[in-house]
């Protein structure tokens, strides 16, 4: 496994490889990331991962400075999975002096997470576009847990004619249903015990959908009531939205939609979602 920190070195190494699967990460790797690596290995001749905590996607009062950074352990995990290349740029490498460009992806970036975190998805789209340009992957792998991020990236790739396929893999979960996340380490014991209520709320709405419920307000209220009854968390939003435009659904047809929610436990925000079809 080669670990490379400059653009020139990565490009030289990538040129020696065939079909490349890319797993972009911010480090603090867990089983969800490793599942993406395995999916990439199953489809591609070679696999690259990137580890970069992207300052552009953090707001002024968010957790950029304390976001977990565990590079030595991350590299051990990636090597054990047989990753070929790891790109570990510094901020100065990706955003040198004078860097000023941003990629805006329109209204889908202003809803849900975008409404709570203005500018977040411009930061996401910008860094992902740069990583695609540097690494030149054939397929890039993302997890469904960050469902709005996958919608934004697909929009960006389509709009800018980026020659990369996007593969979205199922959310990795703990045994009790909690979506795996690097931020889960911030939860204290009480918060960790309450956190699976997010998944229970999604599954309750899924069951209602399977039984014929199509009223968006009913599904949203059901999720909200479960989280409020079973946790001390503060809800940022609950949503039942169109899977392409991410606009809220009043009454659904048979095409389904995306259930999602964001809940704060102290200073830690947890996200989860489930796709209805």
């Amino acid at each position: 496994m080669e670990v490379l920190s400059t653009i020139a070195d990565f490009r030289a190494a990538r040129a020696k490889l065939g079909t490349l699967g890319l797993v972009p990460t911010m480090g603090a790797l867990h089983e969800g990331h490793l599942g993406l690596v395995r999916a990439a290995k199953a489809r591609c001749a070679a696999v690259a991962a990137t580890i970069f905590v992207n300052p552009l996607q953090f707001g002024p009062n968010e957790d950029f400075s304390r976001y977990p950074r565990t590079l030595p352990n991350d590299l051990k995990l990636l090597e054990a999975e047989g990753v070929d290349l790891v790109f570990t740029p510094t901020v100065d490498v990706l955003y040198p002096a004078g860097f000023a460009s941003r990629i805006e992806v329109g209204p889908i970036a202003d809803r849900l997470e975008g409404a709570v975190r203005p500018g977040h998805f411009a930061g996401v789209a910008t860094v992902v576009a740069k990583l695609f340009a540097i690494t030149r992957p054939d397929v890039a792998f993302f997890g469904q847990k960050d469902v709005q991020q996958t919608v934004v990236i697909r929009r960006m790739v389509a709009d800018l004619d980026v020659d990369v396929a996007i593969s979205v893999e199922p959310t990795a979960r703990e045994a009790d249903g909690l979506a795996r996340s690097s931020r889960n380490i911030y939860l204290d014991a009480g918060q960790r015990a309450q956190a699976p209520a997010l998944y229970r709320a999604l599954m309750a709405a899924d069951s209602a959908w399977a039984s014929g419920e199509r009223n968006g307000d009913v599904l949203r209220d059901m999720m909200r009531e479960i989280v409020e009854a079973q946790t001390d968390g503060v809800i940022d939003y609950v949503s039942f939205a169109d899977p392409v435009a991410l606009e809220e659904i009043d009454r659904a047809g048979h095409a389904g939609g995306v259930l999602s929610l964001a809940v704060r436990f102290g200073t830690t925000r947890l996200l989860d979602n489930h796709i209805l079809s």
Side-chain angles (χ1 to χ4, degrees), residues 1 9 26 58 76 102 119 140 145 161 183 244 255 261 277:
M1 185 176 79
D9 286 346
M26 292 206 301
F58 288 80
K76 290 179 183 177
R102 296 289 189 279
K145 186 185 80 69
D161 300 307
R183 289 185 169 94
V244 176
L261 67 171
S277 61

Side-chain angles (χ1 to χ4, degrees), residues 166-190:
I166 303 300
S167 181
V168 178
E169 302 298 319
T171 300
R173 298 186 180 277
E174 305 287 355
D176 58 8
L178 177 64
R180 293 183 184 269
S181 169
S182 300
R183 289 185 169 94
N184 289 351
I185 64 171
Y186 296 146
L187 299 172
D188 64 30

Side-chain angles (χ1 to χ4, degrees), residues 14 27 47 49 56 59 81 83 88 95 132 157 200 204 230 233 240 245 266:
R14 194 272 175 263
V47 176
L56 293 192
E81 294 292 337
V83 169
T88 60
Y95 306 127
F132 285 173
V157 165
R200 290 194 292 270
Q230 298 183 16
F240 176 43

Side-chain angles (χ1 to χ4, degrees), residues 98 130 134 156 166 182 189 207 227 257 259 261:
K130 283 184 67 72
I134 292 164
M156 182 265 291
I166 303 300
S182 300
S207 294
V227 172
L259 302 166
L261 67 171

